[in-house]
Amino acid sequence: TAGVIIALILLGKSLEAVSKGKTSEAIKKLMGLAPKTAIVLHEGNEIEVPIDEVEPGDVILVRPGEKIPVDGEIIEGYTSIDEAMLTGESLPVDKKPGDRVYAASINKNGMIKFRATKVGADTALAQIIKLVEDAQGSKAPIAQMADIVSGYFVPIVCTIALVAFAAWFFSGQSLAFSLTIFISVLVIACPCALGLATPTAIMVATGKGAENGILIKSGEALETAHKINTIVFDKTGTITEGKPKVTDILAAAGMTTERLLQIAASGEKGSEHPLGEAIVKEAEALGLEFKNVDSFEAIPGHGIEADIDNIKVLIGNKKLMDSRNIEITLQKESDRLAGEGKSPMFVAIDNKLAGIIAVADVMKPSSKRAIEKLHEMGIEVAMITGDNRRTAEAIAKQAGIDRVLAEVLPQDKAKEVQKLQAEGKKVAMVGDGINDAPALAQADIGIAIGSGTDVAMESADIVLMRSDLMDVPAAIELSRRTIRNIKQNLFWAFGYNTAGIPIAAGVLHIFGGPLLSPMIAAAAMAFSSVSVLTNALRLKRFKPLH
């Protein structure tokens, strides 16, 4: 009996070790991604050095098909790089001088030279590995509950085993029989499965999240996310691209749209205003030739005035046109564009309106789908922005957002989150900028967009490496599934032990039924641990919603 018990427990432990190994596969995969050597350029010579010897400032050469050894900035060459290990995004990203590259990403088709900026433990990959390790080692509040239960459960079981032993012994049974009962109770009630129920599910879930570009920083964040019922999105750079684009060109007075854009772009070439930059970029994209600008003047808060090829050009808002007594013949169209959340820029040539160029910060393609998905999940969606209410409401209407918090100063974003929490809501904040950091920290769960600032990512509980808003519902769905899985594990682990104790204590034997052998008790105990682990491994099938 003693030999079989030990053999079965060891079998259970080895099956458990195999299953546990599978739970941390994500970390092993991440660790195996980093290359072992780098080619450093030193006085024109190529020297292959171990990755540990690369220092910030070194110039590194990477050929097509090779992995990027450390983080850095391209100084020469054009290529496309597969960053799937970092973002989960399968499409390669085009890179040019000045762009950042990250350790373990794969250089696809061009030779590049880049200057190392972060090495060793400072690289994005090393930071991700550390985050996932910390999360997998951290306890969720539900795990602490399991610990408390185990704390009471063990002494109670020991007492039951002693009482059962004494009851059978003093009722006239032999010492061997009474000891068999005592051992069976202790073996079947061993709370290994209770201890495994939560950490294994957390390990699989955080690893699966990292694989899909969703970095969950702690077990607590993973658990809290399933309770979220309100999500607040920052507008610029989160719901929208954060880069204004030309959306409409309306020409008047016999002007063609192409010529209108050409004149406006030539005038705006000297401007530093984001709306002006959008017009210049649009003209460049269409391959239009820029005209000579003889004189240029920026009028703050209004627009610009320029002389282009001997014609007098005014580009700006309605205030500028009114101040120069220029009749706005396209008023209806201008109101329609403003109602759609776009900024109409009026273009006047020789004191006569020539047309309107509308510029807007366009919505990310995934924003509408993500918000629809959150609504399906029963979550209220709000948007927070410093923009004027009209523009904000137009974007909210397009995206299907329930609640708009407009004209909010950066320092007041955290207060708005606090107000929602005061209404009894569990709030998640999604943002990307430095000004979002206090709100991310204030929210029950802060979710940072990976393309955002380091400060935002530091303040957040969850980081979305892909900058795709569909990962917001995916992160909440992963949390919901993990909590469901943990509850199933705890139910089976606790139910199994509780149901087995009376049988092991010989309750059935009193009524002429069978006696539970310690060997069968050991097999049942081992099986309960393995079944809990197998259930946790089902989370590996999780696929983000896209």
Side-chain angles (χ1 to χ4, degrees):
T1 301
V4 172
I5 288 174
I6 291 166
L8 284 168
I9 287 174
L10 284 174
L11 172 68
K13 288 286 172 201
S14 54
L15 287 170
E16 199 179 289
V18 170
S19 304
K20 265 188 169 174
K22 286 182 182 171
T23 63
S24 56
E25 260 173 28
I27 282 282
K28 287 178 200 153
K29 265 191 211 164
L30 286 168
M31 284 176 155
L33 288 171
K36 305 292 175 273
T37 60
I39 296 169
V40 175
L41 295 174
H42 187 67
E43 292 175 0
N45 299 318
E46 294 178 17
I47 305 162
E48 190 166 350
V49 299
I51 202 84
D52 304 341
E53 291 178 21
V54 177
E55 292 180 0
D58 284 351
V59 174
I60 295 164
L61 178 77
V62 184
R63 294 187 171 88
E66 292 178 349
K67 282 186 177 179
I68 307 287
V70 294
D71 292 5
E73 194 176 294
I74 297 177
I75 52 174
E76 193 180 304
Y78 294 84
T79 187
S80 59
I81 290 180
D82 178 355
E83 293 182 345
M85 44 58 69
L86 192 70
T87 62
E89 189 57 68
S90 53
L91 290 174
V93 183
D94 291 334
K95 298 281 182 177
K96 61 185 186 303
D99 287 347
R100 288 176 174 274
V101 290
Y102 299 97
S105 54
I106 300 163
N107 183 25
K108 288 301 233 184
N109 52 21
M111 190 164 81
I112 55 166
K113 289 177 188 173
F114 73 91
R115 183 169 282 105
T117 54
K118 289 180 180 174
V119 300
D122 295 330
T123 65
L125 179 70
Q127 297 284 346
I128 288 170
I129 291 170
K130 188 176 182 311
L131 273 178
V132 178
E133 278 177 339
D134 289 350
Q136 291 188 339
S138 72
K139 277 196 175 176
I142 201 165
Q144 285 151 4
M145 187 189 79
D147 290 350
I148 293 163
V149 171
S150 297
Y152 289 109
F153 186 73
V154 173
I156 290 168
V157 167
C158 291
T159 308
I160 292 169
L162 283 166
V163 169
F165 168 80
W168 283 109
F169 185 69
F170 292 116
S171 66
Q173 292 289 353
S174 67
L175 178 65
F177 180 93
S178 304
L179 269 176
T180 301
I181 294 283
F182 179 72
I183 291 165
S184 294
V185 172
L186 286 182
V187 169
I188 201 160
C190 173
C192 306
L194 262 181
L196 290 167
T198 313
T200 47
I202 284 173
M203 282 180 90
V204 178
T206 48
K208 199 70 203 166
E211 250 175 65
N212 290 288
I214 301 166
L215 289 186
I216 299 159
K217 289 191 183 176
S218 66
E220 192 174 347
L222 183 64
E223 186 181 331
T224 309
H226 89 284
K227 300 176 189 164
I228 294 299
N229 52 25
T230 302
I231 294 187
V232 181
F233 286 96
D234 173 48
K235 182 179 86 76
T236 311
T238 303
I239 287 178
T240 64
E241 297 279 6
K243 296 169 194 148
K245 285 184 181 169
V246 171
T247 55
D248 304 78
I249 303 171
L250 306 175
M255 177 75 64
T256 65
T257 54
E258 204 169 88
R259 174 142 170 83
L260 182 71
L261 180 64
Q262 183 185 35
I263 290 168
S266 302
E268 291 287 2
K269 196 106 169 81
S271 166
E272 288 173 6
H273 197 280
L275 300 183
E277 273 178 45
I279 291 172
V280 172
K281 275 186 188 155
E282 182 70 10
E284 283 171 348
L286 295 174
L288 299 179
E289 189 187 329
F290 290 94
K291 301 277 185 189
N292 290 327
V293 178
D294 303 319
S295 71
F296 172 88
E297 188 195 342
I299 305 158
H302 286 72
I304 64 157
E305 185 175 1
D307 283 339
I308 304 167
D309 275 359
N310 298 322
I311 54 173
K312 194 177 174 165
V313 179
L314 287 168
I315 308 163
N317 55 22
K318 190 171 183 295
K319 284 181 197 165
L320 179 65
M321 299 297 127
D322 290 345
S323 69
R324 300 300 169 92
N325 296 322
I326 292 165
E327 189 194 346
I328 294 174
T329 51
L330 299 170
Q331 187 64 57
K332 202 182 275 181
E333 288 83 349
S334 157
D335 291 345
R336 175 181 60 80
L337 292 167
E340 289 168 9
K342 298 166 184 175
S343 301
M345 305 259 286
F346 297 95
V347 183
I349 294 173
D350 291 333
N351 293 323
K352 197 174 177 189
L353 190 71
I356 297 175
I357 298 176
V359 176
D361 185 2
V362 294
M363 234 185 354
K364 284 181 181 173
S366 61
S367 295
K368 197 171 187 332
R369 275 204 331 276
I371 288 155
E372 280 169 8
K373 190 72 211 168
L374 289 167
H375 282 145
E376 279 170 35
M377 292 165 78
I379 294 169
E380 182 193 11
V381 181
M383 182 179 81
I384 196 163
T385 178
D387 267 3
N388 69 67
R389 182 157 290 279
R390 193 172 180 182
T391 306
E393 282 180 349
I395 291 279
K397 197 174 170 190
Q398 282 174 45
I401 288 166
D402 311 307
R403 194 163 173 172
V404 180
L405 308 167
E407 296 167 25
V408 179
L409 296 171
Q411 61 270 29
D412 293 336
K413 286 185 178 180
K415 284 182 194 158
E416 291 294 334
V417 169
Q418 228 169 349
K419 280 183 200 168
L420 290 168
Q421 288 169 323
E423 291 173 24
K425 298 181 192 297
K426 282 277 178 196
V427 182
M429 168 77 194
V430 186
D432 69 327
I434 289 172
N435 61 10
D436 298 324
L440 290 170
Q442 173 64 42
D444 296 284
I445 288 286
I447 303 175
I449 299 289
S451 59
T453 62
D454 292 346
V455 182
M457 288 193 237
E458 280 296 313
S459 314
D461 304 292
I462 297 173
V463 180
L464 309 179
M465 297 307 292
R466 259 197 296 227
S467 306
D468 182 345
L469 287 196
M470 277 306 285
D471 286 341
V472 175
I476 289 171
E477 182 60 26
L478 178 60
S479 167
R480 286 181 178 182
R481 282 208 211 168
T482 307
I483 296 304
R484 198 181 314 143
N485 192 285
I486 288 171
K487 284 177 178 170
Q488 288 164 355
N489 285 351
L490 288 171
F491 172 78
W492 284 112
F494 197 66
Y496 218 84
N497 290 353
T498 314
I501 291 168
I503 300 166
V507 170
L508 295 180
H509 191 66
I510 297 170
F511 303 104
L515 192 66
L516 187 71
S517 149
M519 291 184 274
I520 293 170
M525 190 273 290
F527 176 73
S528 77
S529 295
V530 173
S531 62
V532 159
L533 279 159
T534 310
N535 188 42
L537 286 171
R538 286 192 311 120
L539 286 167
K540 287 182 85 97
R541 295 189 220 147
F542 174 79
K543 283 191 172 66
L545 317 143
H546 279 298

